[in-house]
Amino acid sequence: MDRNIRTVDDVLKLLDGLFAPGADRWTADAADWWDGFYTDRSKPVPFFVAKPDERLVSYVDRGLVTPGRALELGCGPGRNALHLAAHGFQVDAVDVSPAAISWAEERAREAGADIRFHLGDAFALDPAVLDGPYDLVYDSGCFHHLPPHRRVSYLALLDRVLAPGGHFALTCFAAGAMGSELPDADLYRESGLQGGLAYTPESLRWIFSKLTEVELRRMRDESPESACFGEPFLWTVLFRRGERAA
């Protein structure tokens, strides 16, 4: 007989186990799946291109975010981390996939960029690794792969590492365009995330209600000739933390 639930972390791990292994996209155990995804670099995956998100370019160009310490969650091949580093940010970038980190490090070497890449689950890494405080926490496609209960872990990480007055920028699937719209409870009955979760503006504002909204819009569509990446099935949102931590 097991009686092994004592802490919030114990509960979160128990809920992790309710999902079929193939649904796991958020823990270090998912590294093999993501490695398989990133191994063939010639695949026509839109975000394999060495281009930053159009919204990140816009934030920097308009001065909505200014150089400081930045953390990218789910950095993939490093395209956004490289853009931040090129504009004077000190960048930490995290991903669970060794193949993604290897590709990102290659790109950084070619660009002469000094970026600290970290392999692992951002929720499980030693706090001394992601030491903060960060003036910008950037997420382009990580959040929508989390099961509902891991929003608790995500918010706790933001609360710990985002500097007072700092910004949090998120890109995620837009309801009505891409991603699963099943209610949270049904996801546990289905034992899967259906490839990723869709969000409405209202749900994003509610989840991140401790932060102040700066901008929320659809990502702009970008042509193949553009210097930026953009897909209109994604929400882009920029939040700001108060000068005093909530």
Side-chain angles (χ1 to χ4, degrees):
M1 181 174 64
D2 292 329
R3 295 287 182 265
N4 50 13
I5 302 298
R6 185 174 60 86
T7 68
V8 171
D9 193 51
D10 292 334
V11 174
L12 295 174
K13 289 178 180 177
L14 172 69
L15 292 172
D16 284 345
L18 297 182
F19 287 86
D24 181 358
R25 300 286 186 274
W26 65 94
T27 73
D29 292 336
D32 287 346
W33 191 94
W34 285 110
D35 277 351
F37 181 79
Y38 284 114
T39 295
D40 182 0
R41 300 180 183 183
S42 65
K43 287 190 299 189
V45 177
F47 54 85
F48 276 14
V49 297
K51 300 177 181 181
D53 290 340
E54 62 84 8
R55 55 99 179 225
L56 177 59
V57 173
S58 173
Y59 296 159
V60 173
D61 287 352
R62 289 184 287 157
L64 294 180
V65 298
T66 54
R69 293 194 69 199
L71 169 64
E72 184 177 12
L73 302 173
C75 66
R79 57 194 180 82
N80 290 307
L82 283 167
H83 188 76
L84 288 167
H87 285 79
F89 287 82
Q90 296 173 282
V91 184
D92 284 300
V94 184
D95 204 283
V96 299
S97 166
I101 291 292
S102 177
W103 192 358
E105 288 175 336
E106 286 179 29
R107 285 178 167 177
R109 284 194 296 271
E110 291 169 1
D114 184 14
I115 299 170
R116 294 198 309 172
F117 290 104
H118 307 282
L119 175 64
D121 176 352
F123 306 139
L125 286 173
D126 190 314
V129 175
L130 305 183
D131 54 356
Y134 294 100
D135 303 291
L136 173 65
V137 175
Y138 194 80
D139 176 348
S140 184
C142 177
F143 179 72
H144 57 222
H145 287 300
L146 300 180
H149 63 278
R150 280 297 172 182
R151 294 176 202 140
V152 175
S153 305
Y154 197 98
L155 290 169
L157 179 65
L158 282 182
D159 191 55
R160 180 173 68 81
V161 303
L162 186 60
H167 288 86
F168 166 58
L170 174 69
T171 296
C172 66
F173 292 153
M178 191 169 186
S180 172
E181 299 186 27
L182 285 174
D184 283 350
D186 289 350
L187 295 169
Y188 295 88
R189 300 186 184 102
E190 295 289 333
S191 189
L193 300 182
Q194 314 296 310
L197 305 185
Y199 287 89
T200 64
E202 293 75 21
S203 62
L204 293 172
R205 290 176 177 126
W206 178 74
I207 292 166
F208 299 105
S209 58
K210 283 189 175 182
L211 305 175
T212 299
E213 180 184 330
V214 177
E215 180 177 273
L216 194 158
R217 62 173 173 81
R218 285 287 187 96
M219 181 177 269
R220 286 191 277 272
D221 195 10
E222 296 287 333
S223 70
E225 294 75 30
S226 172
C228 303
F229 166 81
E231 292 284 356
F233 57 77
L234 300 167
W235 290 122
T236 69
V237 58
L238 181 66
F239 291 105
R240 184 175 183 274
R241 188 174 195 174
E243 294 295 338
R244 293 184 178 180

